[in-house]
């Protein structure tokens, strides 16, 4: 099977994760097909239905009936955006692969520019947001802060202000398939893999319809995955804090002993309170950080499949 897959003549695969996007699928599909025809290129569109509860899957099946370049992977439940993209990438057969959202925020009209850049020899061409419209101020601020914080903490260079909208060459796909981690942070993984990267700038559009599927709690989880997968800094921070506090505590002990013999001992309730609370806080931070890493270790040790496919029109899909 791997043989026939490698011999495919598909030049471009477009991977689109779908979670309750019934309002957008048709329009987006039409925009992608228009671009593909204008490029005159052998393509496939890989829709990954991530456990949608609306008519998304029925619409995808309809499109697959109309157009044999439409491939689909239907998950058994919602596994999350990053895993949906991963499944699409793993099963794409194109020489080059585009990753884009299913809500129209990543404009398909940018694909020719990404493709041209990659022909110049770049294995990764990512789309860099010049602006983000239709998103709340809170989302813009938290995103901006997060990407800058992450950049400070990690040793791999994860480009700032980019999402997953990008083109990757098959060479990158091959390495991604060898990376079994479950807490996916694809933009970090792709940065870690290396090769030649370049950015193409664009204006991020508003969602065509429906609303964002990312709650703040999902964003927190995603941010934690990004940090924990690509940095040991929080662990080091806990240790550093521990040392610092121990030194202060040692001085406090000397001071208390001094007070015991040469000063007053009745007072001191305030300082006692403060030091207990402070130490308790620092310890909890440290333990919490350990928990973050340990939790992920145990997830990976379980070795369960990353995603489960209910149905697909791809022969022998991975996963
Ligand atoms: N998505 C998904 N699984 C999820 C959440 C989102 O496949 O659990 C898809 C969604 O359908 C869309 C893309 O991921 O195509 C980005 O989601 P969304 O637009 O809600 O995120 P935002 O742009 O608000 O960050
Ligand atoms: Mg969106």
């Amino acid at each position: 099977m791997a043989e026939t897959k490698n011999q495919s003549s598909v030049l471009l695969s477009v991977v689109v994760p779908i979670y309750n996007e019934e309002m957008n699928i048709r329009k987006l599909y039409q925009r992608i097909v228009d671009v593909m025809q204008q490029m005159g290129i052998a393509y496939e569109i890989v829709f990954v239905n991530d456990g949608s509860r609306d008519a998304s899957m029925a619409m995808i099946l309809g499109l697959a009936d109309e157009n044999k370049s439409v491939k689909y992977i239907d998950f058994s439940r919602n596994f999350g955006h990053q895993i949906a993209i991963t499944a699409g990438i793993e099963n794409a057969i194109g020489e080059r692969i585009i990753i884009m959202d299913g809500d129209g925020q990543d404009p398909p009209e940018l694909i020719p520019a990404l493709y041209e850049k990659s022909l110049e020899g770049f294995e990764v061409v990512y789309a860099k947001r010049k602006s983000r419209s239709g998103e709340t101020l809170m989302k813009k601020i938290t995103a901006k802060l997060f990407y800058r914080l992450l950049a400070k903490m990690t040793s791999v260079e994860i480009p700032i202000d980019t999402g997953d909208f990008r083109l990757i060459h098959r060479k990158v796909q091959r390495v991604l398939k060898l990376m079994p981690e479950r807490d996916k942070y694809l933009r970090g993984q792709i940065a870690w893999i290396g090769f030649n990267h370049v950015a193409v700038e664009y204006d991020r559009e508003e969602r065509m319809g429906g609303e964002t599927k990312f709650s703040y709690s999902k964003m927190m989880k995603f941010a934690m995955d990004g940090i924990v997968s690509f940095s040991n800094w929080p662990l080091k921070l806990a240790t550093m804090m521990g040392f610092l506090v121990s030194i202060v505590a040692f001085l406090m002990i000397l001071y208390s002993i001094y007070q015991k013999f040469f000063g007053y001992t009745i007072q001191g309730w305030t300082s006692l309170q403060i030091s207990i609370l402070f130490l308790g806080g620092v310890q909890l931070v440290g333990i919490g950080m350990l928990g973050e890493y340990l939790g992920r270790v145990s997830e990976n040790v379980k070795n369960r499949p990353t995603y489960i496919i209910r149905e697909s029109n791809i022969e022998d899909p991975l996963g």
Side-chain angles (χ1 to χ4, degrees), residues 245-255:
V245 171
S246 304
I247 292 168
V248 175
F250 179 68
L251 296 176
M252 286 287 285
I253 290 167
L254 290 184
Y255 173 74

Side-chain angles (χ1 to χ4, degrees), residues 18 47-52 56-58 60-61 71-77 79 87 307-314 317:
I18 295 290
F47 284 113
V48 184
N49 179 38
D50 187 15
S52 298
S56 295
M57 193 55 212
I60 294 170
L61 288 173
K71 305 288 172 201
Y72 62 83
I73 295 168
D74 185 19
F75 278 177
S76 63
R77 63 169 169 86
F79 279 91
Y307 52 87
I308 298 163
I309 298 175
R310 172 191 293 137
E311 206 195 332
S312 172
N313 62 350
I314 297 170

Side-chain angles (χ1 to χ4, degrees), residues 16-21 48-50 52 78-82 84-85 100-106 129 132 135 139 204 207 211-214 218-219:
V16 188
I18 295 290
Y19 180 52
N20 298 340
E21 301 285 4
V48 184
N49 179 38
D50 187 15
S52 298
N78 179 258
F79 279 91
H81 173 242
Q82 293 287 304
I85 301 175
M100 63 184 300
D101 283 355
D103 59 359
Q105 285 200 281
D106 303 334
R129 305 187 264 252
R132 315 167 67 125
E135 287 180 307
K139 172 134 185 176
R204 187 152 167 89
R207 244 177 182 280
E211 49 189 39
T212 175
K213 312 296 182 300
F214 272 86
K218 268 193 180 177
M219 270 166 46

Side-chain angles (χ1 to χ4, degrees), residues 13 41 67 110 149 189-190 225 232 269 280:
S13 298
I41 200 173
N67 180 349
L110 193 72
L149 179 71
Q189 289 175 257
I190 292 172
D225 281 342
N232 286 330
W269 182 84

Side-chain angles (χ1 to χ4, degrees), residues 120-267:
E120 290 174 18
F122 295 98
E123 284 92 354
V124 179
V125 186
Y126 54 86
K128 192 175 160 79
R129 305 187 264 252
K130 262 193 301 192
S131 65
R132 315 167 67 125
S133 43
E135 287 180 307
T136 60
L137 186 65
M138 189 63 184
K139 172 134 185 176
K140 286 184 197 170
I141 292 175
T142 49
K144 227 183 171 82
L145 276 177
F146 169 66
Y147 289 119
R148 275 152 187 80
L149 179 71
L150 186 63
K152 286 237 166 2
M153 285 165 50
T154 56
S155 46
V156 290
E157 236 173 85
I158 302 173
I160 274 176
D161 295 332
T162 53
D164 290 303
F165 185 23
R166 60 186 61 205
L167 178 152
I168 58 172
H169 192 273
R170 192 189 278 162
K171 291 177 213 166
V172 179
Q173 173 203 32
R174 216 176 285 148
V175 189
L176 280 175
K177 283 189 191 178
L178 299 175
M179 297 171 80
E181 56 229 65
R182 297 170 48 88
D183 304 295
K184 302 282 180 195
Y185 189 69
L186 271 164
R187 48 198 94 156
Q189 289 175 257
I190 292 172
W192 181 88
I193 291 171
F195 291 117
N196 293 324
H197 292 221
V198 72
V200 170
E201 292 202 327
Y202 78 112
D203 293 304
R204 187 152 167 89
E205 290 176 21
E206 274 180 50
R207 244 177 182 280
M208 294 190 293
E211 49 189 39
T212 175
K213 312 296 182 300
F214 272 86
S215 54
Y216 279 108
S217 71
K218 268 193 180 177
M219 270 166 46
M220 276 298 286
K221 157 93 171 69
F222 184 56
M224 265 298 173
D225 281 342
I227 292 170
V228 173
S229 306
F230 287 93
S231 162
N232 286 330
W233 197 82
L235 279 177
K236 288 185 200 141
L237 179 76
T239 326
M240 270 159 30
M241 289 278 280
F243 273 120
L244 205 73
V245 171
S246 304
I247 292 168
V248 175
F250 179 68
L251 296 176
M252 286 287 285
I253 290 167
L254 290 184
Y255 173 74
S256 315
I257 293 170
Y258 175 82
Q259 283 294 314
K260 167 110 180 131
F261 292 110
F262 305 104
Y264 310 97
T265 42
I266 298 142
Q267 287 179 336

